Amino acid sequence: MTFSQYGDYFYLYILLLTSIPAIILGLCEKKIKYYGMIATAFMILLIVGVNVHLKFLIAFMVIEVIVVKGYEYVRKKTDSKLVYRLFLLASMSPIIINKLSPYTSMGTIGFIGISYLNFRTIQMVIEIYDGAIKEVKLLDMIYFVLFFPTLSSGPIDRSRRFEKELEKNISRSEYINEYLAPGIKKIFMGIGYKFVIAFLINVYWMSKIPTDITFKNALSYMYAYSLYLFFDFGGYSLFAVGTSYIFGIKAPDNFNKPFISKDMKEFWTRWHISLSRWFGDYIFSRYLISSMRKKRFKNRATAGRVAQMITMLVMGFWHGLTWFYIVYGIYQGLALVLTDIYQKKSKFYKKHKKEKWFEYVQIFVTFNIACFGLLIFSGYFA
């Protein structure tokens, strides 16, 4: 028997029981780290189950430990880019296999949350190459990658930040005020988001939209699905972050009122924040810097726009190798590029951008641009 993480009240009941020892340790000013490792092993068995998916998870961890620890050793001997790229490709192999396997006779190879876990190990290989990570502690690495509150749906944390918090001594008052109370608040917000608002949107709106594709039905579904996805996924994220806090780790927030964004660039600083930052740091910024150094383009603006298109296209492929995910990536890239061009070229924008009425217009326009992108993402037209 397996459980959908944060998917029902029974799982939340088990989570409550599992969290009690962590709370006691926090109140007693003891490190939660080692109990957290035990709780992670226990919760993985509940979430993944003792089946073929657990075998895939174990195989994944064995591969990634060999790759990360192997590259840590090799990096001390050489800074060869070829060697780095080979190790990076090896680290990426699980997610590549996972995305390609559904199109083979073997069927899907992977387990719940494989993408989020793989991003963490890829990040470690990149930062070992950069020199930001000098030493990889095996037990801390395994705990970081498998940390159960963020197992199935993120957020995507960074290893150096995570490990720094592991070693932090937290006083009783700090634990109560900065970890326990905010964590409980986030969990209750998650209950409201997922089990109340998302549930009501699904039952009384989205599920009642006729299945035949018309302009009216598509428009209704666009708004219903966008709001449902935000409150459902936002609820998952609040559960994950809140639970992380209780276990002494301040996992990064994943959403910050995305539908009040004034443009699509701002939207991507508020929507699925940990994912967009990961892509921004490890794809967009690196491609942009490389392009400027190698003078691939005449100016920085062009390089930035190409980097935006590449980043969003990769994000589309990451979601899946179906046409609507790829179109979604292209759409988001174009939205960012056109936003950049408009803000740099438009005299009307420059004249009115600080006026209050214009801010409301921008929020309304951005909301609809974002919702249409999510309509594409939903596969409504597939």
Side-chain angles (χ1 to χ4, degrees):
M1 182 178 181
T2 59
F3 295 88
S4 172
Q5 191 171 27
Y6 312 120
D8 54 50
Y9 287 111
F10 187 56
Y11 176 85
L12 295 183
Y13 172 70
I14 295 173
L15 179 63
L16 172 63
L17 297 179
T18 308
S19 300
I20 290 173
I23 294 171
I24 293 172
L25 288 169
L27 293 176
C28 293
E29 301 184 342
K30 304 295 184 181
K31 285 191 180 296
I32 306 174
K33 172 179 174 179
Y34 296 107
Y35 171 70
M37 292 177 180
I38 296 169
T40 289
F42 170 70
M43 295 301 276
I44 283 174
L45 291 177
L46 291 183
I47 297 165
V48 178
V50 184
N51 52 38
V52 66
H53 296 290
L54 182 61
K55 294 178 181 178
F56 287 145
L57 176 58
I58 293 170
F60 166 83
M61 282 308 306
V62 170
I63 291 169
E64 293 299 338
V65 165
I66 292 171
V67 170
V68 172
K69 290 295 290 180
Y71 189 58
E72 177 199 10
Y73 174 79
V74 171
R75 181 65 180 85
K76 293 173 184 176
K77 308 292 183 183
T78 177
D79 62 354
S80 165
K81 282 193 174 182
L82 176 60
V83 172
Y84 160 63
R85 287 168 181 164
L86 289 173
F87 273 93
L88 186 60
L89 180 61
S91 180
M92 294 169 60
S93 61
I95 196 172
I96 294 172
I97 293 169
N98 175 254
K99 296 301 179 183
L100 293 176
S101 61
Y103 303 94
T104 68
S105 58
M106 296 181 293
T108 302
I109 298 174
F111 52 88
I112 186 169
I114 184 173
S115 296
Y116 296 104
L117 271 58
N118 208 173
F119 278 144
R120 295 167 195 169
T121 56
I122 292 168
Q123 166 253 315
M124 294 185 76
V125 171
I126 293 172
E127 294 197 353
I128 289 170
Y129 174 74
D130 290 344
I133 295 176
K134 302 293 185 182
E135 179 187 5
V136 178
K137 297 176 182 177
L138 180 60
L139 204 59
D140 288 355
M141 174 197 166
I142 293 171
Y143 187 39
F144 163 67
V145 175
L146 297 178
F147 187 52
F148 88 86
T150 60
L151 180 71
S152 64
S153 57
I156 306 166
D157 208 345
R158 305 298 173 87
S159 59
R160 285 182 293 153
R161 196 208 66 79
F162 184 91
E163 290 173 8
K164 186 177 180 181
E165 291 217 341
L166 280 184
E167 302 308 321
K168 183 179 179 181
N169 294 314
I170 305 171
S171 68
R172 182 182 294 107
S173 61
E174 185 182 6
Y175 179 72
I176 293 171
N177 296 319
E178 297 185 25
Y179 290 83
L180 182 59
I184 292 172
K185 180 182 177 181
K186 288 176 185 295
I187 289 172
F188 275 99
M189 286 178 64
I191 291 172
Y193 271 39
K194 178 172 175 57
F195 294 117
V196 179
I197 301 175
F199 173 80
L200 292 174
I201 291 171
N202 183 41
V203 172
Y204 294 104
W205 184 1
M206 194 162 67
S207 64
K208 294 186 181 299
I209 299 171
T211 55
D212 53 312
I213 298 177
T214 65
F215 177 78
K216 179 182 176 182
N217 292 343
L219 191 67
S220 181
Y221 189 84
M222 179 179 83
Y223 292 124
Y225 177 78
S226 297
L227 293 172
Y228 170 79
L229 182 63
F230 167 68
F231 285 108
D232 185 69
F233 192 20
Y236 270 105
S237 295
L238 284 165
F239 284 133
V241 175
T243 306
S244 299
Y245 272 53
I246 290 172
F247 276 78
I249 301 292
K250 289 184 178 179
D253 288 318
N254 232 3
F255 293 90
N256 180 23
K257 303 173 184 175
F259 292 135
I260 64 168
S261 304
K262 294 186 287 294
D263 58 59
M264 289 304 292
K265 288 190 288 185
E266 183 182 347
F267 177 82
W268 279 106
T269 66
R270 292 172 174 270
W271 177 273
H272 207 167
I273 299 168
S274 66
L275 179 70
S276 58
R277 282 182 180 169
W278 196 97
F279 275 85
D281 289 346
Y282 299 116
I283 299 179
F284 174 82
S285 294
R286 287 167 185 271
Y287 181 81
L288 178 60
I289 292 169
S290 172
S291 295
M292 296 304 295
R293 284 176 180 168
K294 296 180 179 179
K295 298 181 180 180
R296 293 191 184 106
F297 306 99
K298 291 183 179 180
N299 55 63
R300 184 182 178 87
T302 302
R305 289 161 192 165
V306 173
Q308 286 173 331
M309 288 299 303
I310 291 172
T311 301
M312 288 299 165
L313 184 58
V314 172
M315 186 180 288
F317 276 105
W318 168 72
H319 279 105
L321 302 182
T322 50
W323 69 265
F324 51 85
Y325 287 138
I326 297 167
V327 171
Y328 170 76
I330 295 170
Y331 173 85
Q332 293 294 347
L334 288 172
L336 290 171
V337 168
L338 293 174
T339 296
D340 186 60
I341 293 172
Y342 167 70
Q343 291 180 347
K344 283 184 169 62
K345 303 284 187 181
S346 173
K347 293 180 180 178
F348 181 83
Y349 170 79
K350 291 176 182 178
K351 181 180 178 181
H352 298 289
K353 65 180 180 178
K354 294 184 179 180
E355 297 179 27
K356 202 67 180 177
W357 69 269
F358 190 56
E359 287 186 10
Y360 292 130
V361 170
Q362 290 182 96
I363 290 170
F364 175 77
V365 171
T366 302
F367 173 69
N368 282 277
I369 292 172
C371 287
F372 185 73
L374 294 173
L375 178 66
I376 297 171
F377 176 84
S378 73
Y380 180 77
F381 298 108

